[in-house]
């Protein structure tokens, strides 16, 4: 069988085109073995291959090569060719595939859920030895619709849409049709249209002029394949709606005190019944480091692959045969499920105990199954170190692997030796394997169910990992352990945030093509068709805090372009290295910080460094030392002194760079420091000039380049729809990069991204965005309403356009208007927190509005334990609420 590859691509001298693909003649995806094409003039390239007639199909891609180096590749989507029996020559007329301007519609959120189409063939095609196959990419085709074509030929219906030929869909969103070449008179004029399957008279034409195809005569036994057509869509903007809720916050009649994967399936049913098509959750990875409630923080995972055991659905796991055990756990389930919030420690203790009992009863049967063997072989690279980590964490009673003796550094051979001949270790490892096996298939079942219902599951990718995670133990070269990731001061926290994650060694990650991140994306894709990149700004630059600090104020951006002393002088600032880089406080400010405790603090914790200034004594001269000093003291006076000493430790105007010690970073929010207050006016003005240029101009192009380097290969590596959390101190280049890569931004009315605005203009949001009323880091709408009376009044009069004084409480009527305004925005996705959906109906909303808060970012030790106050079964029966939601969605003309 002969295959001719043909493509038009204009090159410059020295450039060559190659084809690489799934068969040996095309290198079996080895670029070095790819087949070189021949240039035949006028920008046309061609390659003829003779392959076995047994080959039924191939995948392939084109790439450009110059001086034996691949310099440009196509969009990640591969060309696919299927060969019919009986034909001897295939001519593949291709177009170079580039990223399109509607890439979200090619994501799995659309192709496997919103617009999912089963493989079906309307017509077997022309029964001819001379064929033409046309292919068109048309992703925005509803589940009950089909692409058709008509044109200036009798066989195409002579422009009558009712007689148009239906295209086959075997690789959605690509559609194709086979035509008998002998029945066509060239030039062929045609257009595509979309037709409703159940209404032959309901159709819509694609935009633009008629398409024209001119081909040389097709020979006997030949098929000419023409691909590269893209349906010219002129439909209105497609928008949909959903709910965001942590899985741990779900509550059903059968929950074990915490939401689980079975509850997530009930949530899917509710979403579908109310006309919603997306459910967003928080990270679901295992965070078990200490077996205490501190592990409730879902963004500090100990593994980027392992799921948290608390999400296992015990009902689907199986029933215990021992009656006394059944009664015992039934009682525990009832106790825990009656609690208003998640009792993290008890939930995990008893769910794990039940799982162990079931494992002892039935688990080893599963471990002997072919399905488990396949699961283990596909996941062993992370499953073995994860199980070893869990065992050693509990054996040594610490997640700090530096304290694990001979196992402080990961060594696979040492781990395998640990297991051999030790039944206790082997049993524990097998139990951990079993739990991940069960969780994986339970989650896959829920994920598949969501797709069947047309509901997209949207995951959450944390920007960091636990400092003492499996990955930091196993792959330490990917991390900078001498820094802590966090966020600079913003609306969430005036002193910044310290997440305590290690920062990334991006240089090392780039050396292997960001394989670590691609593996994370791939694992996330096992369960989700859409995901949110937490703190996407971290791909531009991360806020890195020295390990000596507890708070986030004295961090600096990494990567960055720090200043030399000469640079600082250019702004007119007189730089005194000791004065401005070592914490100190003028005695006259002590009263403002400590009040009546000032003298006591000075005697105990400070020493005089000059006539006016005091410094922290050596035993408390860092925030880490201060934290340890007050670790066992929680009374009001101790807390006040500790916070004041933290404040003094922040009293610098510049931070020395950790790599280039002769360079410096101006301290964020430096103008709010006491040191700044002590400056003469010319010094203040010089610092302000330096500060403004450093934080808002100096790095724009630099950070944009870093973001493209990191995000471009990652975006191209996944089929999921990507959203980014781009809140906070946003570099100027962020919108440009996200728009070019078609990553959906996050838009919140009360966190405007435009300067000098109090509220975001919802009517002007970008289409490629996610609009929401609040996030897990913010107070829900009803709580926010009561936080700032002046701002609420402004919102009431100028945004909601209501007269008079704003009421003290956000009524269900007001909540409906707020939600309606968000639904009416141009954003592709409007995703409302469950708490804000409930606010629109008095009969279901929670009385205690403060109990609806999920997280307080300013508190690094916040207990994540919010649970919905009604069950999912009750939610399904709440017709007054559900009717309102359906009505709101319908009125907004969202899908």
């Amino acid at each position: 069988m002969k295959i001719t590859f043909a493509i038009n691509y204009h090159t410059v001298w020295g450039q060559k085109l190659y084809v690489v693909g799934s068969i040996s003649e095309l290198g079996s995806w080895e670029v070095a073995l790819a087949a070189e094409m021949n240039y035949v003039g006028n920008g046309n390239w061609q390659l003829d291959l003779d392959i076995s007639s047994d080959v039924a199909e191939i995948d392939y891609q084109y790439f450009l090569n110059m001086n034996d180096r691949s310099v440009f590749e196509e969009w990640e989507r591969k060309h696919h060719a299927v060969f019919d029996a009986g034909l001897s020559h295939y001519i593949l007329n291709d177009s170079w595939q580039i990223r399109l301007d509607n890439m979200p519609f090619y994501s799995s959120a659309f192709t496997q859920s919103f617009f999912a189409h089963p493989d079906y063939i309307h017509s077997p095609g022309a029964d001819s030895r001379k064929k033409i196959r046309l292919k068109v990419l048309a992703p925005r085709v509803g589940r009950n619709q089909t692409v058709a074509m008509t044109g200036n030929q009798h066989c195409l219906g002579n422009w009558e849409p009712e007689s148009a030929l239906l295209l086959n869909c075997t690789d959605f969103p690509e559609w194709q049709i086979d035509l008998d070449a002998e029945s066509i008179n060239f030039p062929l004029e045609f257009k595509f249209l979309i037709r409703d399957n159940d209404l032959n008279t309901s159709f819509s034409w694609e935009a633009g002029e008629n398409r024209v195809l001119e081909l040389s005569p097709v020979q006997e036994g030949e098929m000419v394949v023409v691909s590269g057509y893209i349906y010219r869509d002129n439909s209105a903007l497609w928008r949909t709606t959903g709910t965001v809720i942590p899985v741990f916050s779900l509550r059903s009649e059968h929950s074990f005190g915490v939401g689980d994967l079975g509850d997530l399936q009930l949530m899917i049913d509710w979403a579908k019944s109310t006309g919603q098509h997306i459910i967003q959750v928080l990270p679901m990875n295992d965070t078990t480091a200490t077996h205490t409630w501190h592990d409730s923080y879902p963004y500090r995972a100990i593994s980027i692959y392992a799921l948290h055991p608390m999400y296992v659905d015990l009902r689907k796991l199986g029933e215990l045969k021992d009656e006394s055990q059944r009664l015992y756990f039934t009682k525990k389930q009832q106790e825990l499920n009656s609690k208003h919030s998640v009792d993290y420690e008890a939930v995990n203790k008893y769910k794990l105990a039940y799982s162990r009992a079931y494992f002892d009863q039935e688990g080893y049967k599963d471990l002997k199954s072919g399905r488990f063997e396949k699961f283990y072989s596909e996941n062993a690279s992370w499953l073995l170190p994860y199980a070893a980590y869990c065992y050693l964490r509990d054996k040594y009673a610490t997640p700090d692997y530096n304290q694990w003796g001979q196992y402080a550094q990961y060594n696979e051979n040492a781990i395998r030796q640990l297991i051999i001949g030790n039944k206790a270790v082997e049993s524990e490892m097998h139990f951990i394997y079993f739990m991940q096996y069960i969780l994986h298939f339970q989650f896959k079942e829920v994920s598949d169910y969501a797709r069947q219902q047309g509901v997209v599951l949207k995951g959450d990718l944390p920007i960091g990992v636990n400092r003492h995670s499996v990955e930091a133990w196993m792959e330490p070269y990917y991390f900078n352990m001498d820094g802590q990731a966090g966020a600079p001061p913003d609306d969430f926290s005036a002193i910044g945030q310290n997440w305590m994650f290690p920062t990334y060694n991006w240089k090392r990650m780039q050396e292997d093509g960001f394989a670590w991140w691609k593996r994370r994306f791939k694992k996330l894709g096992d369960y989700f068709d859409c995901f949110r990149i937490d703190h996407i700004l971290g791909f531009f630059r991360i806020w890195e805090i020295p390990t000596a600090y507890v708070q986030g104020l004295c961090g600096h951006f990494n990567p960055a372009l720090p200043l030399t002393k000469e640079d600082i002088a250019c702004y007119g600032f007189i730089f005194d290295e000791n004065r401005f880089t070592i914490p100190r406080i003028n005695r006259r400010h002590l009263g403002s910080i400590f009040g009546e405790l000032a003298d006591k603090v000075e005697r105990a914790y400070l020493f005089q460094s000059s006539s006016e200034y005091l410094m922290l004594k050596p035993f408390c001269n860092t925030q880490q030392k201060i934290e340890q000093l007050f670790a066992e003291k929680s009374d009001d006076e101790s807390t006040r002194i500790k916070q004041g000493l933290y404040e003094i430790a922040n009293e610098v105007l510049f931070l020395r760079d950790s790599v280039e010690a002769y360079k410096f970073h101006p301290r964020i929010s430096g103008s709010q420091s006491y040191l700044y207050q002590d400056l003469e006016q010319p010094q203040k003005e010089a610092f302000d000039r330096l500060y403004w240029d450093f934080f808002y101009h100096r790095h724009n192009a630099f950070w944009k380049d870093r973001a493209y380097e990191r995000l471009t290969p990652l975006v191209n590596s996944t089929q999921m729809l990507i959203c980014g959390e781009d809140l906070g101190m946003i570099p100027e280049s962020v919108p440009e990069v996200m728009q070019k890569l078609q990553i959906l931004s996050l838009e919140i009315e009360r966190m405007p991204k435009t300067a000098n605005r109090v509220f975001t203009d919802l009517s002007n949001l970008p289409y490629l965005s996610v609009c929401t009323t609040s996030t897990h880091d913010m107070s829900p709408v009803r709580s926010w309403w009561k936080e700032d009376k002046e701002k609420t009044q402004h919102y009431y009069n100028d945004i909601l356009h209501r007269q008079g004084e704003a009421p003290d409480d956000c009524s269900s009527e007001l909540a409906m208007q707020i939600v309606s305004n968000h639904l009416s925005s141009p954003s592709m996705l409007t995703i409302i927190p469950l708490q804000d959906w409930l606010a629109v109906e008095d009969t279901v909303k929670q009385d205690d509005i403060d109990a609806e808060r999920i997280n307080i970012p300013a508190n690094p030790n916040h207990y994540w334990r919010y649970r919905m106050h009604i069950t999912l079964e009750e939610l399904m029966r709440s017709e007054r609420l559900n009717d309102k939601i359906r009505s709101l969605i319908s009125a907004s003309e969202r899908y």
Side-chain angles (χ1 to χ4, degrees):
M1 182 168 60
K2 182 179 179 181
I3 310 295
T4 298
F5 298 88
I7 190 169
N8 184 272
Y9 191 92
H10 290 275
T11 56
V12 299
W13 179 258
Q15 293 180 337
K16 300 177 182 178
L17 283 187
Y18 288 77
V19 188
V20 64
S22 57
I23 57 175
S24 59
E25 290 86 350
L26 296 177
S28 299
W29 295 115
E30 291 290 337
V31 172
L33 301 177
E36 182 179 345
M37 301 189 77
N38 299 308
Y39 183 66
V40 293
N42 295 321
N44 294 309
W45 294 78
Q46 188 169 304
L47 169 67
D48 292 322
L49 287 182
D50 289 314
I51 65 173
S52 169
S53 58
D54 294 333
V55 176
E57 58 186 317
I58 61 170
D59 292 313
Y60 59 98
Q61 283 187 303
Y62 297 93
F63 69 90
L64 186 67
N65 184 288
M66 186 170 185
N67 300 326
D68 297 322
R69 185 171 61 91
S70 176
V71 295
F72 192 62
E73 300 173 346
E74 291 188 283
W75 166 34
E76 291 290 318
R77 181 179 173 84
K78 298 176 176 63
H79 298 270
H80 182 68
V82 178
F83 307 123
D84 296 350
L87 298 179
S88 57
H89 186 195
Y90 287 83
I91 302 172
L92 308 179
N93 289 316
D94 290 318
S95 297
W96 187 273
Q97 296 192 136
I98 61 172
R99 286 181 60 83
L100 305 172
D101 58 7
N102 61 342
M103 287 302 299
F105 289 98
Y106 292 86
S107 70
S108 60
F110 288 86
T111 61
Q112 295 190 38
S113 185
F114 293 144
F115 295 153
H117 281 264
D119 290 350
Y120 53 73
I121 297 177
H122 290 289
S123 168
D127 183 15
S128 169
R129 297 266 305 156
K130 299 179 180 181
K131 290 186 178 182
I132 299 171
R133 175 172 292 167
L134 303 183
K135 294 182 175 184
V136 60
L137 287 172
R140 194 174 163 181
V141 183
R143 290 185 171 205
N144 65 332
Q145 296 178 318
T146 301
V147 177
M149 70 174 292
T150 186
N152 66 342
Q153 311 281 322
H154 175 74
C155 64
L156 297 181
N158 286 322
W159 296 112
E160 293 293 335
E162 293 83 0
S163 302
L165 299 183
L166 302 182
L167 275 68
N168 299 320
C169 181
T170 57
D171 187 22
F172 184 71
E174 187 173 72
W175 303 73
Q176 68 177 42
I177 189 168
D178 290 353
L179 304 173
D180 181 0
E182 292 188 298
S183 65
I184 294 176
N185 296 312
F186 292 100
L188 167 63
E189 287 191 44
F190 66 98
K191 290 188 84 169
F192 297 109
L193 58 146
I194 295 176
R195 200 176 79 180
D196 289 352
N197 291 338
D198 49 359
L199 292 172
N200 189 42
T201 57
S202 178
F203 53 84
S204 59
W205 292 91
E206 68 172 334
E209 299 294 325
N210 294 344
R211 299 179 186 270
V212 179
L213 177 65
E214 186 78 72
L215 291 175
S216 300
V218 180
Q219 304 302 312
E220 184 75 12
E222 193 172 79
M223 174 182 279
V224 177
V225 181
V226 182
S227 63
Y229 291 120
I230 299 170
Y231 188 86
R232 302 184 298 236
D233 189 15
N234 61 352
S235 306
L237 295 180
W238 184 94
R239 302 172 304 140
T240 197
T241 313
T243 295
V244 54
I245 181 75
V247 174
F248 64 75
S249 298
L250 298 175
R251 181 195 295 268
S252 72
E253 294 172 359
H254 303 285
S255 300
F256 209 107
V258 68
D260 60 33
L261 288 164
D263 295 336
L264 182 56
Q265 185 160 323
L266 288 178
M267 188 67 185
I268 292 166
D269 291 335
W270 175 74
K272 183 181 180 181
S273 73
T274 53
Q276 300 180 68
H277 291 276
I278 190 162
I279 294 174
Q280 178 178 330
V281 300
L282 269 57
M284 296 175 64
N285 294 98
D286 191 0
T287 56
T288 310
T290 64
H291 294 291
T292 68
W293 65 264
H294 293 281
D295 299 338
S296 66
Y297 182 22
Y299 289 88
R300 194 179 293 149
I302 63 164
S303 169
I304 61 174
Y305 305 107
L307 296 168
H308 202 302
M310 73 178 177
Y311 293 122
V312 68
D313 181 354
L314 296 181
R315 288 171 297 156
K316 289 187 178 178
L317 178 63
E319 189 174 74
L320 298 177
K321 295 177 180 178
D322 185 280
E323 184 177 0
S324 63
Q325 286 185 322
R326 285 203 311 274
L327 292 173
Y328 173 78
F329 285 111
T330 297
K331 182 180 179 181
K332 289 299 179 185
Q333 182 269 332
Q334 293 170 349
E335 290 175 2
L336 292 170
N337 213 32
S338 66
K339 295 192 174 187
H340 295 297
S341 55
V342 177
D343 185 338
Y344 182 87
E345 292 177 21
V347 159
N348 280 277
K349 175 182 177 180
Y350 292 111
K351 289 195 77 169
L352 274 176
Y354 185 104
S355 300
R356 284 183 186 276
Y358 185 81
F359 174 71
D360 291 340
Q361 174 185 297
E362 306 286 351
Y364 281 97
K365 297 177 185 176
D366 285 299
L367 297 188
K368 295 177 181 178
S369 69
R371 190 167 80 153
F372 173 79
E373 290 180 3
K374 184 174 186 294
F375 167 78
Y376 184 84
S377 66
E378 292 174 349
N379 296 278
S381 62
W382 66 264
L383 192 55
L384 174 66
Y386 164 73
Y389 170 96
C390 292
Y391 170 77
L392 293 167
R393 172 200 62 204
D394 296 346
K395 172 182 171 63
Y396 289 95
T398 176
D400 184 357
Y401 46 80
N402 296 301
Q403 300 181 41
W404 291 354
Q406 69 183 94
Y407 305 108
Q409 292 183 329
Y410 178 76
N411 183 294
E412 184 175 332
N413 291 331
I415 296 302
R416 294 192 181 280
Q417 288 299 315
L418 174 66
I419 301 171
I420 294 173
N422 191 324
K423 291 293 184 183
V425 176
E426 183 181 54
S427 176
E428 182 64 16
M429 299 276 280
H430 284 170
F431 172 66
I432 295 166
Y433 296 160
F434 170 77
M435 287 301 295
Q436 290 303 312
Y437 165 72
I438 294 297
L439 285 159
H440 171 74
F441 282 103
Q442 284 191 0
F443 206 167
K444 284 290 288 182
E445 182 179 335
V446 174
S447 178
D448 291 343
Y449 180 77
R451 291 186 180 117
Q452 293 164 10
Q453 304 306 311
V455 174
V456 164
L457 293 183
K458 179 184 176 185
D460 197 339
L461 184 84
I463 188 62
V465 298
N466 193 308
R467 177 169 294 274
H468 299 127
S469 64
V470 180
E471 283 70 39
W473 178 46
M474 184 183 176
E475 303 167 307
Y477 42 83
Y478 283 137
F479 304 94
N480 296 320
M481 302 305 293
D482 56 353
Q484 306 174 93
D490 57 20
D491 290 348
F492 293 126
S493 174
I495 57 171
Q497 299 176 56
N498 183 354
W499 303 324
M500 294 177 282
F501 310 141
T503 55
Y504 294 117
N505 181 350
W506 284 106
K507 182 179 179 181
R508 176 64 181 80
M509 288 180 159
Q510 192 168 10
E511 288 174 359
D512 61 14
F514 304 102
W516 188 85
W517 284 99
K518 290 177 181 179
R519 292 194 296 270
R520 286 189 79 181
F521 280 28
K522 184 176 185 297
K523 186 60 178 175
L524 207 62
D526 284 349
Y527 315 113
F528 299 104
D529 289 315
C530 176
F531 73 102
R532 161 191 181 269
I533 299 178
D534 167 52
H535 195 67
I536 196 171
L537 306 183
F539 285 86
F540 293 74
R541 78 295 183 270
I542 197 69
W543 188 247
E544 186 172 83
I545 305 156
T547 53
Y549 284 89
V550 173
Q551 297 176 332
L553 201 58
C554 282
H556 61 82
F557 288 120
N558 184 10
L561 302 170
L563 304 167
T564 64
K565 293 177 183 179
E566 292 76 18
D567 293 332
I568 295 172
C570 287
Y571 294 94
F573 188 84
I574 302 171
F575 181 65
D576 183 329
E577 185 173 332
N578 286 331
R579 181 184 176 190
F580 296 130
T581 64
I582 301 174
R584 65 193 63 226
I585 189 74
N586 192 307
R587 180 180 280 107
R588 65 189 176 91
H589 298 306
L590 291 183
S592 299
I593 301 173
F594 298 103
E596 74 282 0
L597 298 173
D599 290 340
K600 180 179 179 178
V601 170
E602 181 176 351
R603 289 192 303 271
Y605 303 101
L606 305 173
F607 71 91
Q608 191 160 338
S609 62
S610 69
S611 60
E612 295 180 323
Y613 283 89
L614 303 168
M615 297 177 67
L616 294 164
K617 291 181 178 179
F619 74 91
C620 62
N621 63 358
T622 71
Q623 289 188 346
Q624 285 288 355
K625 290 179 181 179
I626 296 166
E627 181 180 47
Q628 293 168 13
L629 193 64
F630 288 87
E632 304 300 325
K633 301 174 184 179
S634 58
D635 59 280
D636 291 344
E637 181 176 302
S638 295
T639 300
R640 188 175 172 187
I641 293 173
K642 179 178 73 171
Q643 294 301 324
L645 296 177
Y646 279 168
E647 195 169 348
I648 294 175
N650 287 328
E651 278 297 307
V652 295
L653 284 182
F654 291 88
L655 297 142
R656 191 183 301 277
D657 188 71
S658 58
V659 177
E660 299 175 294
Y662 62 96
K663 293 184 178 181
F664 304 88
H665 305 256
R667 202 207 80 178
I668 195 82
S669 302
S671 62
Q672 297 175 27
S673 68
Y674 291 108
L675 271 179
Y676 179 87
Q677 291 180 29
D678 295 341
L679 296 176
E680 298 292 335
Q681 188 61 30
Q683 280 281 80
K684 288 182 179 179
E685 293 173 359
F687 184 83
D688 291 344
R689 288 193 298 271
L690 176 155
Y691 185 95
W692 182 258
D693 183 62
F694 186 87
F695 284 109
Y696 297 102
H697 296 286
R698 182 178 178 89
H699 296 91
N700 288 340
F702 179 68
W703 285 337
K704 179 170 70 173
D705 291 344
R706 302 294 80 71
Y708 278 129
E709 286 175 0
R710 299 165 184 177
L711 284 170
T712 302
L714 298 181
V715 168
N716 289 338
S717 72
T718 181
Q719 293 297 312
M720 291 180 285
L721 177 62
I722 305 178
C723 309
E725 182 265 290
D726 55 335
L727 305 177
M729 190 175 179
I730 308 172
E732 185 181 80
S733 58
V734 170
E736 176 188 341
V737 172
M738 292 182 68
Q739 288 166 17
K740 184 169 182 179
L741 297 179
Q742 300 184 57
I743 299 172
L744 275 63
S745 63
L746 179 60
E747 308 295 336
I748 302 175
E749 188 175 38
R750 49 182 139 137
M751 287 192 70
K753 296 175 180 176
T754 303
N756 302 317
R757 290 192 67 98
V758 180
F759 298 103
T760 301
D761 181 1
L762 295 180
S763 65
N764 277 325
L765 297 184
Y767 174 56
L768 292 184
S769 68
V770 179
C771 174
T772 186
T773 51
S774 57
T775 75
H776 61 269
D777 283 333
M778 304 167 68
S779 51
V781 164
R782 290 194 299 150
S783 296
W784 170 80
W785 189 270
K786 301 174 77 69
E787 289 176 357
D788 186 330
K789 181 67 175 177
E790 183 179 349
K791 185 177 285 188
T792 300
Q793 186 65 53
H794 171 42
Y795 185 78
Y796 184 76
N797 297 141
D798 298 338
I799 305 301
L800 299 183
H801 304 294
R802 291 176 176 252
Q803 302 297 315
E805 185 177 351
D808 292 335
D809 297 309
C810 181
S811 66
S812 57
E813 180 188 4
L814 289 169
M816 275 195 73
Q817 184 179 355
I818 293 169
V819 170
S820 176
N821 289 348
H822 285 73
L823 291 173
S824 298
S825 75
S827 298
M828 174 183 279
L829 307 178
T830 292
I831 304 179
I832 305 295
L834 180 66
Q835 303 96 305
D836 292 345
W837 277 127
L838 298 179
V840 308
E841 173 50 45
D842 291 332
T843 60
V844 296
K845 66 185 183 185
Q846 186 166 358
D847 292 333
D848 183 2
I849 61 174
D850 293 331
E852 293 184 324
R853 185 74 185 254
I854 295 175
N855 180 42
I856 301 175
N859 178 9
N861 293 311
H862 182 74
Y863 191 172
W864 297 62
R865 59 187 316 192
Y866 164 70
R867 288 187 83 194
M868 54 190 294
H869 66 290
I870 60 174
T871 66
L872 286 160
E873 292 86 353
E874 290 173 313
L875 185 63
M876 290 287 288
R877 296 192 295 266
S878 301
E879 279 308 309
R880 287 172 61 91
L881 169 68
N882 296 336
D883 284 344
K884 284 184 177 181
I885 293 174
R886 284 188 283 264
S887 175
L888 284 165
I889 293 172
S890 176
S892 69
E893 299 183 341
R894 286 183 173 267
Y895 168 74

